[in-house]
Amino acid sequence: MRWALLLFVLLSPQLFAAEQGIPALTLTTETDGTENYSVTLQILALMTMLTFLPAIVMMMTSFTRIIVVFAILRQALGLQQTPSNQILVGLALFLTLFIMTPVLDRINQEAVQPYLNEELTTLEALESASRPLHSFMLMNTRENDLDLFMRISDTPAVEAPEDIPLTVLVPAFATSELKTAFQIGFMLFIPFLVIDLVVASVLMAMGMMMLSPVIISLPFKIMLFVLVDGWAMVVGTLAASFGI
């Protein structure tokens, strides 16, 4: 214990001197008037942004539409826990990555690589990275949803759609995605609902009112879904709805 205390006393001046030599918050003004922050502050901002990564994935990508459609499909089939939530979320994440690959490639070319090559400052890189996401969300957002949030936020009219702020575009995009997901889910629900109605009518005609129609209709719904290659149709429809 005494040796550890002696070692700490001997090394403490060097440790404090090293800490004093690290610039924590440094703002540098470039020759062209732009401002650049120290690496320490950039790392702090990056770590802070990582906490918003789940929200960014859910609200600014195709994830919302995909996971809602999968949840409605499972409910339509009458399967409460199969496939499990982990499988649906995993499939939705990889399908989201597949759909968002062109957008991610643009972000890498226009923002990440120039920033790594020190051609862009941190703020310029963030602005460049937001443009592909802005274009993707704008392409998949309904005009009435945009008008709704523009009116609620008292945002003045913009000259071009590209000038719409993200604070307006993101909630409009999320609302539009939910509406589209419910429309696709409704179309998926119809054939399974017809099977439930037919089975319930047959059981009523046979006097088997105490037998649950779900027990009889579930095998037929699964068989129909497998025969028409349902998963491929659903995944293909979702990808095509984003223009893939």
Side-chain angles (χ1 to χ4, degrees), residues 5-168:
L5 181 60
L6 179 60
L7 183 62
F8 175 77
V9 172
L10 292 175
L11 293 180
S12 58
Q14 299 179 2
L15 293 175
F16 291 137
E19 291 180 359
Q20 292 175 0
I22 300 177
L25 304 176
T26 303
L27 179 62
T28 305
T29 303
E30 305 293 341
T31 56
D32 56 355
T34 59
E35 296 179 344
N36 196 11
Y37 297 92
S38 64
V39 177
T40 307
L41 187 58
Q42 294 177 20
I43 294 175
L44 178 62
L46 179 61
M47 297 302 294
T48 304
M49 289 179 58
L50 288 178
T51 61
F52 293 96
L53 186 60
I56 293 175
V57 171
M58 289 187 293
M59 295 291 101
M60 301 178 67
T61 65
S62 57
F63 180 82
T64 300
R65 183 187 304 186
I66 296 170
I67 195 63
V68 170
V69 170
F70 284 168
I72 294 177
L73 174 62
R74 185 174 65 179
Q75 186 71 26
L77 284 170
L79 302 172
Q80 301 299 325
Q81 300 295 332
T82 305
S84 63
N85 292 332
Q86 292 84 351
I87 295 176
L88 292 183
V89 172
L91 180 58
L93 283 174
F94 278 97
L95 188 57
T96 300
L97 180 62
F98 171 77
I99 293 173
M100 299 297 295
T101 296
V103 179
L104 297 177
D105 289 340
R106 282 188 57 193
I107 293 176
N108 181 58
Q109 296 174 3
E110 299 177 7
V112 177
Q113 293 303 322
Y115 177 72
L116 294 178
N117 296 330
E118 298 183 355
E119 299 174 2
L120 296 176
T121 62
T122 305
L123 296 180
E124 291 174 345
L126 289 175
E127 184 179 356
S128 298
S130 65
R131 294 195 194 104
L133 279 175
H134 190 283
S135 301
F136 172 80
M137 291 188 292
L138 187 62
M139 182 176 60
N140 293 280
T141 304
R142 292 178 173 83
E143 293 185 2
N144 55 350
D145 294 325
L146 278 175
D147 294 338
L148 171 64
F149 285 95
M150 291 279 285
R151 186 174 65 255
I152 293 175
S153 61
D154 292 330
T155 302
V158 296
E159 297 181 357
E162 292 76 14
D163 298 331
I164 298 176
L166 287 176
T167 53
V168 173

